[in-house]
PDB file of all heavy atoms in Angstrom:
ATOM      1  N   LEU A   1      75.592  42.426  31.560  1.00  0.00           N
ATOM      2  CA  LEU A   1      76.844  41.697  31.375  1.00  0.00           C
ATOM      3  C   LEU A   1      77.661  41.676  32.657  1.00  0.00           C
ATOM      4  O   LEU A   1      78.273  40.655  33.007  1.00  0.00           O
ATOM      5  CB  LEU A   1      77.639  42.320  30.230  1.00  0.00           C
ATOM      6  CG  LEU A   1      78.993  41.680  29.908  1.00  0.00           C
ATOM      7  CD1 LEU A   1      78.828  40.201  29.561  1.00  0.00           C
ATOM      8  CD2 LEU A   1      79.670  42.428  28.762  1.00  0.00           C
ATOM      9  N   GLU A   2      77.665  42.765  33.373  1.00  0.00           N
ATOM     10  CA  GLU A   2      78.405  42.826  34.630  1.00  0.00           C
ATOM     11  C   GLU A   2      77.857  41.804  35.627  1.00  0.00           C
ATOM     12  O   GLU A   2      78.624  41.127  36.328  1.00  0.00           O
ATOM     13  CB  GLU A   2      78.319  44.236  35.211  1.00  0.00           C
ATOM     14  CG  GLU A   2      79.229  44.478  36.396  1.00  0.00           C
ATOM     15  CD  GLU A   2      79.251  45.934  36.815  1.00  0.00           C
ATOM     16  OE1 GLU A   2      78.243  46.640  36.577  1.00  0.00           O
ATOM     17  OE2 GLU A   2      80.261  46.378  37.372  1.00  0.00           O
ATOM     18  N   THR A   3      76.537  41.665  35.673  1.00  0.00           N
ATOM     19  CA  THR A   3      75.917  40.677  36.562  1.00  0.00           C
ATOM     20  C   THR A   3      76.295  39.269  36.144  1.00  0.00           C
ATOM     21  O   THR A   3      76.634  38.414  36.972  1.00  0.00           O
ATOM     22  CB  THR A   3      74.389  40.838  36.551  1.00  0.00           C
ATOM     23  OG1 THR A   3      74.045  42.163  36.958  1.00  0.00           O
ATOM     24  CG2 THR A   3      73.732  39.843  37.500  1.00  0.00           C
ATOM     25  N   LEU A   4      76.252  39.017  34.847  1.00  0.00           N
ATOM     26  CA  LEU A   4      76.609  37.700  34.324  1.00  0.00           C
ATOM     27  C   LEU A   4      78.050  37.343  34.678  1.00  0.00           C
ATOM     28  O   LEU A   4      78.331  36.242  35.185  1.00  0.00           O
ATOM     29  CB  LEU A   4      76.401  37.684  32.811  1.00  0.00           C
ATOM     30  CG  LEU A   4      76.646  36.392  32.028  1.00  0.00           C
ATOM     31  CD1 LEU A   4      75.883  36.439  30.703  1.00  0.00           C
ATOM     32  CD2 LEU A   4      78.122  36.135  31.730  1.00  0.00           C
ATOM     33  N   LEU A   5      78.970  38.261  34.397  1.00  0.00           N
ATOM     34  CA  LEU A   5      80.386  37.980  34.626  1.00  0.00           C
ATOM     35  C   LEU A   5      80.705  37.815  36.101  1.00  0.00           C
ATOM     36  O   LEU A   5      81.671  37.136  36.464  1.00  0.00           O
ATOM     37  CB  LEU A   5      81.245  39.092  34.016  1.00  0.00           C
ATOM     38  CG  LEU A   5      81.196  39.218  32.487  1.00  0.00           C
ATOM     39  CD1 LEU A   5      82.045  40.391  32.019  1.00  0.00           C
ATOM     40  CD2 LEU A   5      81.665  37.919  31.827  1.00  0.00           C
ATOM     41  N   ALA A   6      79.883  38.399  36.967  1.00  0.00           N
ATOM     42  CA  ALA A   6      80.095  38.263  38.407  1.00  0.00           C
ATOM     43  C   ALA A   6      79.505  36.961  38.951  1.00  0.00           C
ATOM     44  O   ALA A   6      79.639  36.673  40.146  1.00  0.00           O
ATOM     45  CB  ALA A   6      79.486  39.460  39.137  1.00  0.00           C
ATOM     46  N   GLY A   7      78.844  36.197  38.083  1.00  0.00           N
ATOM     47  CA  GLY A   7      78.232  34.950  38.525  1.00  0.00           C
ATOM     48  C   GLY A   7      77.009  35.158  39.384  1.00  0.00           C
ATOM     49  O   GLY A   7      76.635  34.281  40.180  1.00  0.00           O
ATOM     50  N   GLN A   8      76.348  36.300  39.220  1.00  0.00           N
ATOM     51  CA  GLN A   8      75.180  36.627  40.024  1.00  0.00           C
ATOM     52  C   GLN A   8      73.905  36.515  39.184  1.00  0.00           C
ATOM     53  O   GLN A   8      73.954  36.230  37.981  1.00  0.00           O
ATOM     54  CB  GLN A   8      75.334  38.038  40.600  1.00  0.00           C
ATOM     55  CG  GLN A   8      76.542  38.200  41.500  1.00  0.00           C
ATOM     56  CD  GLN A   8      76.775  39.645  41.927  1.00  0.00           C
ATOM     57  OE1 GLN A   8      76.113  40.564  41.450  1.00  0.00           O
ATOM     58  NE2 GLN A   8      77.714  39.848  42.833  1.00  0.00           N
ATOM     59  N   LEU A   9      72.774  36.760  39.826  1.00  0.00           N
ATOM     60  CA  LEU A   9      71.481  36.758  39.154  1.00  0.00           C
ATOM     61  C   LEU A   9      70.858  38.144  39.237  1.00  0.00           C
ATOM     62  O   LEU A   9      71.155  38.902  40.174  1.00  0.00           O
ATOM     63  CB  LEU A   9      70.545  35.740  39.808  1.00  0.00           C
ATOM     64  CG  LEU A   9      70.966  34.272  39.712  1.00  0.00           C
ATOM     65  CD1 LEU A   9      70.067  33.405  40.588  1.00  0.00           C
ATOM     66  CD2 LEU A   9      70.929  33.788  38.265  1.00  0.00           C
ATOM     67  N   PRO A  10      70.018  38.511  38.291  1.00  0.00           N
ATOM     68  CA  PRO A  10      69.383  39.838  38.333  1.00  0.00           C
ATOM     69  C   PRO A  10      68.543  40.006  39.588  1.00  0.00           C
ATOM     70  O   PRO A  10      67.969  39.037  40.112  1.00  0.00           O
ATOM     71  CB  PRO A  10      68.508  39.856  37.074  1.00  0.00           C
ATOM     72  CG  PRO A  10      69.073  38.807  36.183  1.00  0.00           C
ATOM     73  CD  PRO A  10      69.618  37.746  37.093  1.00  0.00           C
ATOM     74  N   ASP A  11      68.465  41.229  40.087  1.00  0.00           N
ATOM     75  CA  ASP A  11      67.591  41.514  41.232  1.00  0.00           C
ATOM     76  C   ASP A  11      66.156  41.123  40.896  1.00  0.00           C
ATOM     77  O   ASP A  11      65.650  41.429  39.809  1.00  0.00           O
ATOM     78  CB  ASP A  11      67.651  43.000  41.590  1.00  0.00           C
ATOM     79  CG  ASP A  11      69.006  43.417  42.148  1.00  0.00           C
ATOM     80  OD1 ASP A  11      69.737  42.524  42.622  1.00  0.00           O
ATOM     81  OD2 ASP A  11      69.331  44.616  42.103  1.00  0.00           O
ATOM     82  N   GLY A  12      65.512  40.461  41.848  1.00  0.00           N
ATOM     83  CA  GLY A  12      64.116  40.091  41.660  1.00  0.00           C
ATOM     84  C   GLY A  12      63.878  38.986  40.657  1.00  0.00           C
ATOM     85  O   GLY A  12      62.747  38.806  40.199  1.00  0.00           O
ATOM     86  N   TRP A  13      64.904  38.230  40.350  1.00  0.00           N
ATOM     87  CA  TRP A  13      64.753  37.188  39.326  1.00  0.00           C
ATOM     88  C   TRP A  13      63.679  36.156  39.696  1.00  0.00           C
ATOM     89  O   TRP A  13      63.064  35.560  38.820  1.00  0.00           O
ATOM     90  CB  TRP A  13      66.089  36.470  39.103  1.00  0.00           C
ATOM     91  CG  TRP A  13      66.481  35.598  40.269  1.00  0.00           C
ATOM     92  CD1 TRP A  13      67.175  35.962  41.365  1.00  0.00           C
ATOM     93  CD2 TRP A  13      66.129  34.224  40.458  1.00  0.00           C
ATOM     94  NE1 TRP A  13      67.313  34.914  42.236  1.00  0.00           N
ATOM     95  CE2 TRP A  13      66.678  33.829  41.703  1.00  0.00           C
ATOM     96  CE3 TRP A  13      65.417  33.292  39.713  1.00  0.00           C
ATOM     97  CZ2 TRP A  13      66.522  32.534  42.210  1.00  0.00           C
ATOM     98  CZ3 TRP A  13      65.268  32.001  40.211  1.00  0.00           C
ATOM     99  CH2 TRP A  13      65.821  31.633  41.446  1.00  0.00           C
ATOM    100  N   ASP A  14      63.447  35.967  41.005  1.00  0.00           N
ATOM    101  CA  ASP A  14      62.505  34.936  41.431  1.00  0.00           C
ATOM    102  C   ASP A  14      61.171  35.514  41.912  1.00  0.00           C
ATOM    103  O   ASP A  14      60.380  34.802  42.547  1.00  0.00           O
ATOM    104  CB  ASP A  14      63.128  34.084  42.539  1.00  0.00           C
ATOM    105  CG  ASP A  14      63.602  34.907  43.727  1.00  0.00           C
ATOM    106  OD1 ASP A  14      63.634  36.150  43.616  1.00  0.00           O
ATOM    107  OD2 ASP A  14      63.956  34.305  44.755  1.00  0.00           O
ATOM    108  N   ASN A  15      60.913  36.772  41.609  1.00  0.00           N
ATOM    109  CA  ASN A  15      59.664  37.388  42.071  1.00  0.00           C
ATOM    110  C   ASN A  15      58.418  36.790  41.419  1.00  0.00           C
ATOM    111  O   ASN A  15      57.313  36.914  41.961  1.00  0.00           O
ATOM    112  CB  ASN A  15      59.683  38.898  41.808  1.00  0.00           C
ATOM    113  CG  ASN A  15      60.634  39.627  42.740  1.00  0.00           C
ATOM    114  OD1 ASN A  15      61.086  39.066  43.741  1.00  0.00           O
ATOM    115  ND2 ASN A  15      60.964  40.866  42.404  1.00  0.00           N
ATOM    116  N   HIS A  16      58.583  36.181  40.265  1.00  0.00           N
ATOM    117  CA  HIS A  16      57.415  35.715  39.517  1.00  0.00           C
ATOM    118  C   HIS A  16      57.378  34.190  39.392  1.00  0.00           C
ATOM    119  O   HIS A  16      56.722  33.674  38.478  1.00  0.00           O
ATOM    120  CB  HIS A  16      57.403  36.359  38.127  1.00  0.00           C
ATOM    121  CG  HIS A  16      57.401  37.861  38.166  1.00  0.00           C
ATOM    122  ND1 HIS A  16      56.301  38.593  38.552  1.00  0.00           N
ATOM    123  CD2 HIS A  16      58.378  38.763  37.887  1.00  0.00           C
ATOM    124  CE1 HIS A  16      56.597  39.885  38.511  1.00  0.00           C
ATOM    125  NE2 HIS A  16      57.845  40.019  38.109  1.00  0.00           N
ATOM    126  N   LEU A  17      58.037  33.500  40.305  1.00  0.00           N
ATOM    127  CA  LEU A  17      57.941  32.047  40.266  1.00  0.00           C
ATOM    128  C   LEU A  17      56.499  31.628  40.524  1.00  0.00           C
ATOM    129  O   LEU A  17      55.831  32.178  41.402  1.00  0.00           O
ATOM    130  CB  LEU A  17      58.859  31.425  41.326  1.00  0.00           C
ATOM    131  CG  LEU A  17      60.363  31.607  41.136  1.00  0.00           C
ATOM    132  CD1 LEU A  17      61.126  30.847  42.221  1.00  0.00           C
ATOM    133  CD2 LEU A  17      60.806  31.137  39.765  1.00  0.00           C
ATOM    134  N   PRO A  18      55.999  30.650  39.778  1.00  0.00           N
ATOM    135  CA  PRO A  18      54.602  30.233  39.962  1.00  0.00           C
ATOM    136  C   PRO A  18      54.342  29.757  41.396  1.00  0.00           C
ATOM    137  O   PRO A  18      55.162  29.070  42.008  1.00  0.00           O
ATOM    138  CB  PRO A  18      54.455  29.071  38.971  1.00  0.00           C
ATOM    139  CG  PRO A  18      55.520  29.292  37.959  1.00  0.00           C
ATOM    140  CD  PRO A  18      56.665  29.921  38.688  1.00  0.00           C
ATOM    141  N   ARG A  19      53.192  30.146  41.897  1.00  0.00           N
ATOM    142  CA  ARG A  19      52.763  29.703  43.216  1.00  0.00           C
ATOM    143  C   ARG A  19      51.264  29.428  43.144  1.00  0.00           C
ATOM    144  O   ARG A  19      50.498  30.254  42.654  1.00  0.00           O
ATOM    145  CB  ARG A  19      53.059  30.765  44.270  1.00  0.00           C
ATOM    146  CG  ARG A  19      52.643  30.359  45.680  1.00  0.00           C
ATOM    147  CD  ARG A  19      52.946  31.458  46.674  1.00  0.00           C
ATOM    148  NE  ARG A  19      52.512  31.079  48.021  1.00  0.00           N
ATOM    149  CZ  ARG A  19      52.611  31.885  49.082  1.00  0.00           C
ATOM    150  NH1 ARG A  19      53.139  33.095  48.942  1.00  0.00           N
ATOM    151  NH2 ARG A  19      52.199  31.472  50.261  1.00  0.00           N
ATOM    152  N   LYS A  20      50.862  28.279  43.645  1.00  0.00           N
ATOM    153  CA  LYS A  20      49.462  27.882  43.556  1.00  0.00           C
ATOM    154  C   LYS A  20      48.899  27.644  44.951  1.00  0.00           C
ATOM    155  O   LYS A  20      49.631  27.304  45.883  1.00  0.00           O
ATOM    156  CB  LYS A  20      49.322  26.620  42.707  1.00  0.00           C
ATOM    157  CG  LYS A  20      49.785  26.791  41.260  1.00  0.00           C
ATOM    158  CD  LYS A  20      49.545  25.534  40.452  1.00  0.00           C
ATOM    159  CE  LYS A  20      49.953  25.736  39.000  1.00  0.00           C
ATOM    160  NZ  LYS A  20      49.664  24.533  38.176  1.00  0.00           N
ATOM    161  N   GLU A  21      47.583  27.808  45.069  1.00  0.00           N
ATOM    162  CA  GLU A  21      46.904  27.551  46.334  1.00  0.00           C
ATOM    163  C   GLU A  21      45.809  26.525  46.121  1.00  0.00           C
ATOM    164  O   GLU A  21      45.026  26.615  45.169  1.00  0.00           O
ATOM    165  CB  GLU A  21      46.297  28.842  46.896  1.00  0.00           C
ATOM    166  CG  GLU A  21      47.325  29.847  47.367  1.00  0.00           C
ATOM    167  CD  GLU A  21      46.699  31.012  48.094  1.00  0.00           C
ATOM    168  OE1 GLU A  21      45.546  30.858  48.574  1.00  0.00           O
ATOM    169  OE2 GLU A  21      47.345  32.067  48.171  1.00  0.00           O
ATOM    170  N   ALA A  22      45.780  25.541  47.013  1.00  0.00           N
ATOM    171  CA  ALA A  22      44.755  24.506  46.920  1.00  0.00           C
ATOM    172  C   ALA A  22      43.366  25.128  46.972  1.00  0.00           C
ATOM    173  O   ALA A  22      43.115  26.065  47.732  1.00  0.00           O
ATOM    174  CB  ALA A  22      44.931  23.506  48.065  1.00  0.00           C
ATOM    175  N   GLY A  23      42.481  24.635  46.142  1.00  0.00           N
ATOM    176  CA  GLY A  23      41.115  25.133  46.104  1.00  0.00           C
ATOM    177  C   GLY A  23      40.913  26.332  45.220  1.00  0.00           C
ATOM    178  O   GLY A  23      39.772  26.753  44.987  1.00  0.00           O
ATOM    179  N   GLN A  24      41.998  26.905  44.708  1.00  0.00           N
ATOM    180  CA  GLN A  24      41.905  28.064  43.823  1.00  0.00           C
ATOM    181  C   GLN A  24      42.021  27.621  42.369  1.00  0.00           C
ATOM    182  O   GLN A  24      42.474  26.505  42.072  1.00  0.00           O
ATOM    183  CB  GLN A  24      43.011  29.070  44.160  1.00  0.00           C
ATOM    184  CG  GLN A  24      42.943  29.607  45.582  1.00  0.00           C
ATOM    185  CD  GLN A  24      41.657  30.363  45.851  1.00  0.00           C
ATOM    186  OE1 GLN A  24      41.241  31.202  45.065  1.00  0.00           O
ATOM    187  NE2 GLN A  24      41.012  30.037  46.978  1.00  0.00           N
ATOM    188  N   PRO A  25      41.606  28.472  41.419  1.00  0.00           N
ATOM    189  CA  PRO A  25      41.745  28.120  40.003  1.00  0.00           C
ATOM    190  C   PRO A  25      43.193  27.763  39.668  1.00  0.00           C
ATOM    191  O   PRO A  25      44.133  28.412  40.132  1.00  0.00           O
ATOM    192  CB  PRO A  25      41.300  29.398  39.280  1.00  0.00           C
ATOM    193  CG  PRO A  25      40.366  30.067  40.244  1.00  0.00           C
ATOM    194  CD  PRO A  25      40.922  29.771  41.609  1.00  0.00           C
ATOM    195  N   GLY A  26      43.371  26.730  38.872  1.00  0.00           N
ATOM    196  CA  GLY A  26      44.705  26.295  38.486  1.00  0.00           C
ATOM    197  C   GLY A  26      45.350  25.344  39.468  1.00  0.00           C
ATOM    198  O   GLY A  26      46.522  24.998  39.317  1.00  0.00           O
ATOM    199  N   ALA A  27      44.589  24.909  40.471  1.00  0.00           N
ATOM    200  CA  ALA A  27      45.154  24.051  41.513  1.00  0.00           C
ATOM    201  C   ALA A  27      44.937  22.570  41.226  1.00  0.00           C
ATOM    202  O   ALA A  27      45.184  21.741  42.097  1.00  0.00           O
ATOM    203  CB  ALA A  27      44.555  24.411  42.864  1.00  0.00           C
ATOM    204  N   GLU A  28      44.499  22.240  40.042  1.00  0.00           N
ATOM    205  CA  GLU A  28      44.250  20.842  39.731  1.00  0.00           C
ATOM    206  C   GLU A  28      45.581  20.078  39.667  1.00  0.00           C
ATOM    207  O   GLU A  28      46.643  20.673  39.493  1.00  0.00           O
ATOM    208  CB  GLU A  28      43.510  20.702  38.401  1.00  0.00           C
ATOM    209  CG  GLU A  28      44.255  21.254  37.194  1.00  0.00           C
ATOM    210  CD  GLU A  28      44.059  22.750  37.015  1.00  0.00           C
ATOM    211  OE1 GLU A  28      43.307  23.358  37.819  1.00  0.00           O
ATOM    212  OE2 GLU A  28      44.660  23.301  36.076  1.00  0.00           O
ATOM    213  N   PRO A  29      45.543  18.750  39.807  1.00  0.00           N
ATOM    214  CA  PRO A  29      46.778  17.961  39.732  1.00  0.00           C
ATOM    215  C   PRO A  29      47.545  18.235  38.438  1.00  0.00           C
ATOM    216  O   PRO A  29      46.949  18.457  37.373  1.00  0.00           O
ATOM    217  CB  PRO A  29      46.276  16.516  39.800  1.00  0.00           C
ATOM    218  CG  PRO A  29      44.991  16.609  40.563  1.00  0.00           C
ATOM    219  CD  PRO A  29      44.368  17.908  40.118  1.00  0.00           C
ATOM    220  N   GLU A  30      48.861  18.201  38.553  1.00  0.00           N
ATOM    221  CA  GLU A  30      49.717  18.522  37.421  1.00  0.00           C
ATOM    222  C   GLU A  30      50.994  17.701  37.525  1.00  0.00           C
ATOM    223  O   GLU A  30      51.488  17.433  38.624  1.00  0.00           O
ATOM    224  CB  GLU A  30      50.057  20.020  37.439  1.00  0.00           C
ATOM    225  CG  GLU A  30      50.909  20.488  36.280  1.00  0.00           C
ATOM    226  CD  GLU A  30      51.146  21.995  36.344  1.00  0.00           C
ATOM    227  OE1 GLU A  30      51.718  22.457  37.354  1.00  0.00           O
ATOM    228  OE2 GLU A  30      50.746  22.699  35.405  1.00  0.00           O
ATOM    229  N   THR A  31      51.541  17.297  36.392  1.00  0.00           N
ATOM    230  CA  THR A  31      52.803  16.559  36.428  1.00  0.00           C
ATOM    231  C   THR A  31      53.920  17.485  36.891  1.00  0.00           C
ATOM    232  O   THR A  31      53.901  18.692  36.618  1.00  0.00           O
ATOM    233  CB  THR A  31      53.162  15.995  35.045  1.00  0.00           C
ATOM    234  OG1 THR A  31      53.482  17.074  34.165  1.00  0.00           O
ATOM    235  CG2 THR A  31      52.013  15.178  34.470  1.00  0.00           C
ATOM    236  N   ALA A  32      54.890  16.915  37.569  1.00  0.00           N
ATOM    237  CA  ALA A  32      56.019  17.726  38.029  1.00  0.00           C
ATOM    238  C   ALA A  32      56.812  18.279  36.854  1.00  0.00           C
ATOM    239  O   ALA A  32      57.363  19.377  36.914  1.00  0.00           O
ATOM    240  CB  ALA A  32      56.918  16.901  38.943  1.00  0.00           C
ATOM    241  N   ARG A  33      56.895  17.520  35.766  1.00  0.00           N
ATOM    242  CA  ARG A  33      57.622  18.029  34.593  1.00  0.00           C
ATOM    243  C   ARG A  33      56.914  19.243  34.001  1.00  0.00           C
ATOM    244  O   ARG A  33      57.568  20.196  33.562  1.00  0.00           O
ATOM    245  CB  ARG A  33      57.774  16.926  33.544  1.00  0.00           C
ATOM    246  CG  ARG A  33      56.453  16.338  33.064  1.00  0.00           C
ATOM    247  CD  ARG A  33      56.647  15.344  31.929  1.00  0.00           C
ATOM    248  NE  ARG A  33      55.386  14.728  31.554  1.00  0.00           N
ATOM    249  CZ  ARG A  33      55.209  14.006  30.457  1.00  0.00           C
ATOM    250  NH1 ARG A  33      56.213  13.824  29.624  1.00  0.00           N
ATOM    251  NH2 ARG A  33      54.034  13.459  30.182  1.00  0.00           N
ATOM    252  N   ALA A  34      55.570  19.226  33.987  1.00  0.00           N
ATOM    253  CA  ALA A  34      54.826  20.386  33.487  1.00  0.00           C
ATOM    254  C   ALA A  34      55.011  21.575  34.415  1.00  0.00           C
ATOM    255  O   ALA A  34      55.197  22.716  33.958  1.00  0.00           O
ATOM    256  CB  ALA A  34      53.348  20.043  33.341  1.00  0.00           C
ATOM    257  N   SER A  35      54.980  21.332  35.715  1.00  0.00           N
ATOM    258  CA  SER A  35      55.216  22.414  36.678  1.00  0.00           C
ATOM    259  C   SER A  35      56.586  23.026  36.452  1.00  0.00           C
ATOM    260  O   SER A  35      56.762  24.253  36.471  1.00  0.00           O
ATOM    261  CB  SER A  35      55.118  21.879  38.110  1.00  0.00           C
ATOM    262  OG  SER A  35      53.845  21.342  38.380  1.00  0.00           O
ATOM    263  N   SER A  36      57.580  22.174  36.220  1.00  0.00           N
ATOM    264  CA  SER A  36      58.936  22.665  35.971  1.00  0.00           C
ATOM    265  C   SER A  36      58.995  23.505  34.697  1.00  0.00           C
ATOM    266  O   SER A  36      59.703  24.519  34.641  1.00  0.00           O
ATOM    267  CB  SER A  36      59.898  21.485  35.870  1.00  0.00           C
ATOM    268  OG  SER A  36      61.200  21.907  35.555  1.00  0.00           O
ATOM    269  N   GLY A  37      58.250  23.099  33.682  1.00  0.00           N
ATOM    270  CA  GLY A  37      58.218  23.890  32.455  1.00  0.00           C
ATOM    271  C   GLY A  37      57.688  25.286  32.679  1.00  0.00           C
ATOM    272  O   GLY A  37      58.204  26.266  32.110  1.00  0.00           O
ATOM    273  N   HIS A  38      56.681  25.423  33.541  1.00  0.00           N
ATOM    274  CA  HIS A  38      56.154  26.750  33.862  1.00  0.00           C
ATOM    275  C   HIS A  38      57.212  27.581  34.602  1.00  0.00           C
ATOM    276  O   HIS A  38      57.388  28.776  34.323  1.00  0.00           O
ATOM    277  CB  HIS A  38      54.899  26.622  34.726  1.00  0.00           C
ATOM    278  CG  HIS A  38      53.780  25.875  34.086  1.00  0.00           C
ATOM    279  ND1 HIS A  38      53.469  25.998  32.747  1.00  0.00           N
ATOM    280  CD2 HIS A  38      52.878  24.975  34.600  1.00  0.00           C
ATOM    281  CE1 HIS A  38      52.434  25.219  32.457  1.00  0.00           C
ATOM    282  NE2 HIS A  38      52.064  24.591  33.564  1.00  0.00           N
ATOM    283  N   VAL A  39      57.897  26.949  35.536  1.00  0.00           N
ATOM    284  CA  VAL A  39      58.922  27.673  36.292  1.00  0.00           C
ATOM    285  C   VAL A  39      60.075  28.068  35.376  1.00  0.00           C
ATOM    286  O   VAL A  39      60.592  29.189  35.445  1.00  0.00           O
ATOM    287  CB  VAL A  39      59.442  26.826  37.470  1.00  0.00           C
ATOM    288  CG1 VAL A  39      60.468  27.627  38.274  1.00  0.00           C
ATOM    289  CG2 VAL A  39      58.303  26.390  38.371  1.00  0.00           C
ATOM    290  N   LEU A  40      60.486  27.142  34.522  1.00  0.00           N
ATOM    291  CA  LEU A  40      61.557  27.428  33.569  1.00  0.00           C
ATOM    292  C   LEU A  40      61.262  28.698  32.791  1.00  0.00           C
ATOM    293  O   LEU A  40      62.127  29.580  32.654  1.00  0.00           O
ATOM    294  CB  LEU A  40      61.722  26.242  32.618  1.00  0.00           C
ATOM    295  CG  LEU A  40      62.497  26.487  31.315  1.00  0.00           C
ATOM    296  CD1 LEU A  40      63.939  26.855  31.610  1.00  0.00           C
ATOM    297  CD2 LEU A  40      62.432  25.257  30.411  1.00  0.00           C
ATOM    298  N   ASN A  41      60.061  28.826  32.293  1.00  0.00           N
ATOM    299  CA  ASN A  41      59.732  29.996  31.488  1.00  0.00           C
ATOM    300  C   ASN A  41      59.649  31.264  32.327  1.00  0.00           C
ATOM    301  O   ASN A  41      59.985  32.354  31.849  1.00  0.00           O
ATOM    302  CB  ASN A  41      58.441  29.744  30.719  1.00  0.00           C
ATOM    303  CG  ASN A  41      58.693  28.975  29.434  1.00  0.00           C
ATOM    304  OD1 ASN A  41      59.072  29.549  28.422  1.00  0.00           O
ATOM    305  ND2 ASN A  41      58.519  27.656  29.481  1.00  0.00           N
ATOM    306  N   ALA A  42      59.240  31.129  33.587  1.00  0.00           N
ATOM    307  CA  ALA A  42      59.239  32.296  34.468  1.00  0.00           C
ATOM    308  C   ALA A  42      60.667  32.767  34.740  1.00  0.00           C
ATOM    309  O   ALA A  42      60.955  33.974  34.724  1.00  0.00           O
ATOM    310  CB  ALA A  42      58.532  31.962  35.776  1.00  0.00           C
ATOM    311  N   VAL A  43      61.571  31.827  34.974  1.00  0.00           N
ATOM    312  CA  VAL A  43      62.968  32.183  35.233  1.00  0.00           C
ATOM    313  C   VAL A  43      63.623  32.720  33.966  1.00  0.00           C
ATOM    314  O   VAL A  43      64.380  33.699  33.999  1.00  0.00           O
ATOM    315  CB  VAL A  43      63.736  30.961  35.771  1.00  0.00           C
ATOM    316  CG1 VAL A  43      65.227  31.287  35.926  1.00  0.00           C
ATOM    317  CG2 VAL A  43      63.159  30.506  37.113  1.00  0.00           C
ATOM    318  N   ALA A  44      63.335  32.086  32.836  1.00  0.00           N
ATOM    319  CA  ALA A  44      63.945  32.517  31.570  1.00  0.00           C
ATOM    320  C   ALA A  44      63.623  33.968  31.258  1.00  0.00           C
ATOM    321  O   ALA A  44      64.440  34.689  30.672  1.00  0.00           O
ATOM    322  CB  ALA A  44      63.468  31.621  30.435  1.00  0.00           C
ATOM    323  N   GLY A  45      62.440  34.426  31.660  1.00  0.00           N
ATOM    324  CA  GLY A  45      62.071  35.811  31.411  1.00  0.00           C
ATOM    325  C   GLY A  45      62.866  36.806  32.229  1.00  0.00           C
ATOM    326  O   GLY A  45      62.899  38.001  31.897  1.00  0.00           O
TER     327      GLY A  45
END
């Protein structure tokens, strides 16, 4: 609550944002809206 009221974000909130590498599994073409959905859920956690 203190973090929320200060208008800040939790430490490490972005440590688990999805990151992909070309040629690796999961690197196939994807819609930007679908990519955003994955990021949304990572941030929501």
Side-chain angles (χ1 to χ4, degrees):
L1 179 58
E2 189 172 27
T3 302
L4 183 158
L5 295 178
Q8 299 173 353
L9 296 171
D11 292 339
W13 71 272
D14 56 349
N15 288 346
H16 302 288
L17 294 184
R19 180 181 178 183
K20 298 183 178 183
E21 291 188 21
Q24 299 298 313
E28 61 276 358
E30 182 177 60
T31 68
R33 58 174 176 168
S35 299
S36 177
H38 300 321
V39 182
L40 163 64
N41 277 278
V43 175

